Amino acid sequence: MNPLLLLHAFPLDHRMWDAVETLLTGFPGVFAPDLPGDLVHGEPSLEAVADAAAEQLRAAGIERVVVGGLSMGGYIALALLERHPDLVAGLALIDTKSTADAPEALANRLRIADEVETSGTVDAVRPMSGVLLGETTRTLRPEVTAVVDRWIGEQNPAAVAWCQRAMAARPDRTDVLRAFDGPVRVVVGDEDTVTPVAAAEHLVSAAPHARLVVVPHAGHLTAIEDPAAVAEALSELLP
Ligand code: MLT
């Protein structure tokens, strides 16, 4: 039985997995680090996060893990798969994509990183819950919006800038997924406008052993909006 590594979305932290974790049974251990601070402190690099995660897992005597990554966490999961394929027993790619940023999106990331750093606040990313959460959640569950707003507001500006720069530098990793022989679950909220269902279908078409799970009435943060659906998809990756 393999432990589970959970990699969170931007601009959030490990707390976004709390509800999922309470629903999981069967994994002998769950690791949900805060990124990047629990793993690395150097130059912005998703690859450095992946390497540090691999190093920490191996130092704990873990040779194989199931990896679940939501959005930015999915980008890191694919970097881990590329650099440490022997570690990855199964993969849940949740509200994420394997492609690199288009030039405009990349420039926008660097602009936001500069703004956050210059202001020393997270003001530039504070409105993001309006994009990350699905329309149904925003309309019917204001308490969820309030929690996500609070979590975003509590992020460290330096970490927010770091993550934006690291994400901006990532390559297309579709071929990495194509070469993966293990089981993959691709999860996406049907109201996700950040990495929409088409991005999930692209992942499924690349991965040789993937199953698509479309979560109804959820946006980009399925782990928060419908933790049971995400916990079930992760549990399917237990041997
Ligand atoms: C996330 O949810 O991690 C971000 O939306 C990812 C991104 O900015 O590409």
Side-chain angles (χ1 to χ4, degrees):
M1 216 70 102
N2 300 305
L4 177 64
L5 173 66
L6 292 173
L7 300 165
H8 66 75
F10 169 88
L12 295 167
D13 56 48
H14 75 279
R15 290 175 289 182
M16 59 151 275
W17 296 113
D18 285 353
V20 171
E21 281 190 58
T22 62
L23 298 167
L24 289 173
T25 51
F27 288 100
V30 180
F31 300 86
D34 283 339
L35 307 170
D38 282 350
L39 296 175
V40 286
H41 298 278
E43 287 300 304
S45 156
L46 298 186
E47 293 73 27
V49 175
D51 290 350
E55 196 180 316
Q56 284 199 11
L57 290 167
R58 290 194 180 110
I62 293 163
E63 297 298 329
R64 304 265 292 159
V65 273
V66 171
V67 184
L70 196 148
S71 200
M72 177 179 75
Y75 309 158
I76 297 166
L78 289 176
L80 184 71
L81 179 62
E82 179 179 59
R83 300 165 75 84
H84 305 277
D86 50 312
L87 258 179
V88 182
L91 194 56
L93 295 171
I94 308 165
D95 303 298
T96 192
K97 61 188 175 195
S98 57
T99 50
D101 287 334
E104 206 174 297
L106 193 153
N108 194 44
R109 281 195 199 286
L110 300 180
R111 183 187 59 74
I112 290 173
D114 287 347
E115 207 173 309
V116 165
E117 212 164 56
T118 308
S119 71
T121 74
V122 295
D123 288 352
V125 294
R126 225 178 262 279
M128 276 186 73
S129 68
V131 181
L132 299 179
L133 293 168
E135 195 183 343
T136 303
T137 302
R138 278 185 279 120
T139 309
L140 300 181
R141 296 194 287 161
E143 70 284 3
V144 176
T145 305
V147 167
V148 172
D149 281 342
R150 178 163 60 79
W151 287 347
I152 292 174
E154 289 170 357
Q155 298 308 307
N156 174 350
V160 168
W162 195 103
C163 288
Q164 281 290 36
R165 294 199 175 109
M167 286 191 284
R170 77 188 192 285
D172 186 316
R173 289 200 161 94
T174 308
D175 283 346
V176 175
L177 188 56
R178 205 164 269 134
F180 182 49
D181 201 30
V184 176
R185 292 293 174 274
V186 176
V187 181
V188 64
D190 69 350
E191 298 175 8
D192 187 345
T193 56
V194 181
T195 49
V197 173
E201 287 170 346
H202 175 250
L203 293 172
V204 170
S205 70
H209 309 290
R211 190 168 84 75
L212 177 64
V213 179
V214 179
V215 182
H217 313 301
H220 186 62
L221 297 178
T222 48
I224 296 171
E225 297 176 70
D226 192 343
V230 172
E232 189 181 330
L234 288 166
S235 299
E236 286 176 8
L237 295 169
L238 278 166

